[in-house]
């Protein structure tokens, strides 16, 4: 979505209807805000934080509470648990092997039958959890220990927090956190089936999100935390932040976490330590601001964004260029900026990004240009619906494989009432999409027209 936004903003003049019209990027159709309500347990005063302006979300990341997943009786799961993508692949492999080796000994066939039975038993033991349970876990009130409260002279008291959606966008990306750390600190995939509500009449997968929407801010019976105290606290907050390694961000995103969450994790552990960042992720993935963008740096620090390397020591640049011998001055200068001027780390960074350092430099420059353009134009208001809270599933991405380091990704889309599978260059109709196995879902609000031409004319 971010790449599409950058491409559209580069052609902003062509996409506008007129000179005076607001620019609506594609992300506008999937953008939503989050409202966080925090209650101070010391005096019951309430604080509201809403991300509806510059810090908008495009992917709703939902945790999976495995302690609430249950293994359903075999009569209930039936084909649902044995017809997933992993089982289909195993079934096809077994059939091919059996046909090719029809003349083998009886012992070989017996071994294959045993393996198939073990695979089916494993599929039947896969627990199931409902989408509603996952959403309720995300929306549940949590306790944040040792929260500092400026209106109480920065005294530490627990806070009771909960999150709600600030708006219902026309389309909604929902990501299930199917990846976690195993006992050996290696990322693993959670083996769990997701039960998505399905209409008995139409067969569509429908979810109602009415109870997850905010009430619109402070309520009449609530006493709010004084804003003056919050402002003084924000002004005293430190502005310095470590440089975030984009390669580390990519590694964490491959595990299924949002870009904002990955950046927050790396920011908390120094900028580049993936293992430490994973530990932070699993300690803080229930925080209300887990998927929020990092706060913007102070005005004085903003000048260091993009490709501005004016603060880099020229002596360190020349020394590294001469010592390494295979990198340009600009590349070395950029590496030093990425590593806060540390020469040893800059050398490691250059060798680990040898194939893509130029692309990273270009991307940093484009990001700086995008931020400058975004700062000069106001964002359009968030799309919302006060009457419709139901969404229909129209797309999903599933991962075939049991581990994060291997496997294959497949996409299914609902087109003209039929599910279509997109598997690399192969496109075909799908009789039963693996809804229970997906990790990324695309929902469409049920009052949004299916006619894409009409939708474009309405929103652009």
């Amino acid at each position: 979505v971010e790449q599409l936004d950058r491409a559209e903003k580069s052609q902003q003049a062509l996409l506008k209807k007129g000179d005076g019209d607001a620019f609506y990027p594609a992300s506008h159709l999937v953008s939503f805000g989050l409202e966080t309500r925090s209650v101070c347990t010391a005096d019951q005063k309430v604080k509201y934080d809403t991300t509806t302006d510059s810090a908008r979300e495009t992917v709703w990341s939902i945790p999976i509470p495995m302690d609430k997943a249950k293994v359903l009786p075999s009569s209930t799961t039936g084909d649902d648990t044995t017809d997933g993508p992993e089982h289909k692949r195993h079934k096809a492999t077994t059939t091919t092997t059996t046909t090719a080796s029809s003349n083998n000994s009886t012992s070989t066939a017996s071994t294959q039958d045993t393996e198939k039975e073990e695979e089916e038993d494993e599929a039947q033991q896969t627990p199931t959890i409902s989408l509603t349970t996952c959403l309720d876990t995300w929306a549940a009130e949590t306790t944040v220990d040792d929260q500092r409260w400026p209106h109480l002279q920065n005294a530490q008291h627990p806070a009771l927090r909960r999150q709600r959606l600030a708006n219902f966008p026309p389309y909604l990306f929902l990501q299930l956190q199917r990846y976690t750390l195993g006992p050996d600190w290696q990322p693993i995939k959670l083996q769990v089936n997701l039960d998505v509500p399905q209409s008995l009449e139409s067969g569509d997968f429908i979810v109602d999100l009415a109870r997850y929407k905010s009430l619109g801010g402070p309520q009449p019976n609530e006493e709010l935390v004084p804003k003056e105290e919050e402002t003084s606290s924000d002004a005293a907050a430190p502005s310095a932040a470590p440089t975030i390694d984009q390669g580390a961000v990519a590694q964490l995103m491959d595990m299924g976490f949002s870009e904002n969450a990955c950046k927050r994790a790396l920011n908390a552990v120094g900028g580049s330590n993936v293992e430490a960042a994973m530990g932070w992720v699993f300690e803080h993935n229930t925080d209300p601001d887990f998927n929020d963008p990092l706060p913007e740096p102070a005005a004085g620090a903003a000048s260091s964004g993009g490709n501005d390397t004016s603060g880099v020591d020229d002596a360190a640049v020349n020394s590294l260029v001469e010592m390494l011998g295979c990198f340009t001055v600009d590349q070395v200068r950029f590496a030093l900026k990425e590593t806060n001027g540390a020469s040893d780390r800059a050398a490691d960074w250059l060798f680990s990004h040898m194939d893509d350092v130029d692309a990273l430099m270009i991307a940093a420059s484009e990001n700086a240009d995008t931020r400058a353009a975004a700062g000069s134009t106001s964002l359009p208001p968030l799309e919302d619906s006060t009457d419709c809270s139901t969404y229909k599933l129209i797309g999903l991405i599933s991962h075939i494989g049991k581990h994060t380091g291997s496997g294959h990704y497949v996409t299914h889309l609902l087109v003209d009432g039929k599910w279509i599978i997109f598997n690399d260059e192969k496109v075909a109709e799908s009789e039963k999409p693996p809804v229970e196995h997906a990790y990324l879902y695309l929902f469409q609000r049920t009052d949004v027209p299916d006619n894409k031409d009409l939708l474009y004319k309405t929103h652009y």
Side-chain angles (χ1 to χ4, degrees):
V1 174
E2 292 177 355
Q3 292 179 351
L4 182 59
D5 273 2
R6 285 200 296 268
E8 289 185 335
K9 286 176 181 177
S10 66
Q11 303 294 325
Q12 181 171 340
L14 298 177
L15 293 174
K16 280 187 177 182
K17 288 182 179 180
D19 293 337
D21 294 335
F23 172 63
Y24 285 65
S27 62
H28 181 66
L29 295 176
V30 296
S31 295
F32 61 93
L34 291 177
E35 179 190 87
T36 303
R37 179 180 183 271
S38 303
V39 180
C40 177
T41 56
D43 57 9
Q44 303 304 308
K45 290 186 178 180
V46 182
K47 175 183 177 182
Y48 282 89
D49 294 304
T50 305
T51 58
T52 56
D53 297 325
S54 60
R56 295 179 175 180
E57 300 290 338
T58 55
V59 178
W60 191 12
S61 185
I62 304 297
I64 302 178
M66 289 299 293
D67 58 321
K68 298 181 181 179
K70 298 180 180 179
V71 177
L72 302 180
S74 57
S75 59
T76 303
T77 56
D79 294 337
D80 291 344
T81 58
T82 59
D83 200 28
E86 298 172 27
H87 180 77
K88 287 181 178 179
R89 183 180 61 173
H90 172 81
K91 183 177 179 181
T93 304
T94 302
T95 303
T96 303
T97 304
T98 304
T99 303
S101 58
S102 59
N103 296 325
N104 286 354
S105 62
T106 305
S107 60
T108 303
S110 177
T111 301
Q112 293 173 346
D113 291 341
T114 301
E115 292 176 351
K116 182 177 180 180
E117 291 174 0
E118 290 177 352
E119 182 72 18
E120 290 177 350
D121 290 341
E122 181 181 353
Q124 292 179 356
Q125 293 301 316
T126 301
T128 299
I129 191 169
S130 69
L131 176 58
T132 301
T133 301
C134 296
L135 295 176
D136 287 345
T137 300
W138 173 86
E141 190 172 70
T142 59
T143 301
V144 179
D145 297 324
D146 301 328
Q147 170 77 30
R148 291 189 180 275
W149 296 96
H151 72 290
L152 298 177
Q153 291 73 48
N154 278 333
Q156 294 183 340
H157 297 285
L160 301 179
R161 287 186 180 177
R162 74 180 186 195
Q163 282 187 302
R164 293 294 184 269
L165 297 175
N167 65 295
F168 287 150
Y171 295 90
L172 184 63
F173 279 110
L174 190 149
Q175 177 195 46
L176 266 291
Q177 298 174 9
R178 285 189 176 270
Y179 303 101
T180 185
L181 283 179
D184 57 354
W185 285 86
Q186 294 298 314
I188 60 174
K189 178 181 176 182
L190 296 178
Q191 299 298 324
V192 61
N193 296 328
L194 185 71
D195 181 17
V196 182
Q198 187 173 17
S199 171
L200 295 178
E201 297 179 359
S202 63
D204 292 329
F205 295 93
I206 303 292
V207 58
D208 191 346
L209 304 180
R211 58 173 150 172
Y212 307 112
K213 190 174 184 182
S214 71
L215 297 178
Q219 301 302 300
N221 60 337
E222 294 177 338
E223 185 177 0
L224 301 182
V225 172
K227 289 185 178 181
E228 295 77 10
E229 299 293 343
E230 295 174 22
T231 303
S232 62
S233 173
D234 293 341
S239 59
T243 300
I244 296 176
D245 187 340
Q246 295 302 318
V249 173
Q251 290 183 50
L252 290 173
M253 290 182 66
D254 287 343
M255 300 174 192
F257 303 108
S258 69
E259 182 177 8
N260 288 336
C262 298
K263 288 183 177 179
R264 278 185 171 270
L266 289 166
N267 183 73
V269 299
S272 60
N273 191 323
V274 175
E275 183 173 329
M278 285 292 293
W280 187 93
V281 163
F282 292 108
E283 288 180 6
H284 296 271
N285 60 10
T286 58
D287 291 356
D289 58 354
F290 179 69
N291 290 294
D292 291 353
L294 287 170
E296 290 294 331
S303 61
S304 62
N307 270 342
D308 181 11
T309 55
S310 56
V312 175
D313 186 0
D314 289 336
V317 173
N318 296 330
S319 176
L320 276 178
V321 169
E322 182 178 353
M323 180 178 66
L324 299 178
C326 55
F327 296 100
T328 67
V329 172
D330 289 339
Q331 291 173 337
V332 171
R333 191 179 295 276
F334 182 76
L336 284 168
K337 178 185 177 299
E338 290 294 298
T339 56
N340 288 333
S343 297
D344 54 342
R345 290 178 55 204
D348 291 338
W349 187 94
L350 283 167
F351 284 113
S352 63
H353 297 84
M354 182 177 290
D355 296 331
D356 57 359
V357 59
D358 290 330
L360 291 174
M361 293 172 64
I362 294 173
S365 179
E366 290 178 349
N367 288 340
D369 294 341
T370 300
R371 287 194 297 268
S376 62
T377 58
S378 59
L379 292 172
L382 287 169
E383 291 287 340
D384 196 10
S385 173
T386 57
D387 301 323
C388 183
S389 61
T390 55
Y391 282 82
K392 178 177 71 173
L393 182 66
I394 62 169
L396 55 95
I397 299 178
S398 55
H399 174 254
I400 303 174
K402 294 185 178 180
H403 305 285
T404 58
S406 62
H408 185 62
Y409 291 92
V410 178
T411 299
H412 287 74
L413 290 176
L414 186 64
V415 181
D416 296 330
K418 298 180 180 179
W419 282 99
I420 306 299
I421 180 174
F422 296 82
N423 184 2
D424 291 338
E425 73 279 1
K426 300 177 182 177
V427 179
E429 183 176 346
S430 175
E431 295 181 359
K432 184 181 182 300
V435 175
E436 67 274 20
H437 298 292
Y439 84 98
L440 184 65
Y441 299 83
L442 174 59
F443 287 90
Q444 174 182 304
R445 210 173 60 210
T446 53
D447 66 338
V448 173
D450 289 329
N451 187 321
K452 302 303 183 295
D453 292 334
L454 177 59
L455 175 68
Y456 185 87
K457 292 177 181 178
T458 303
H459 292 84
Y460 287 82

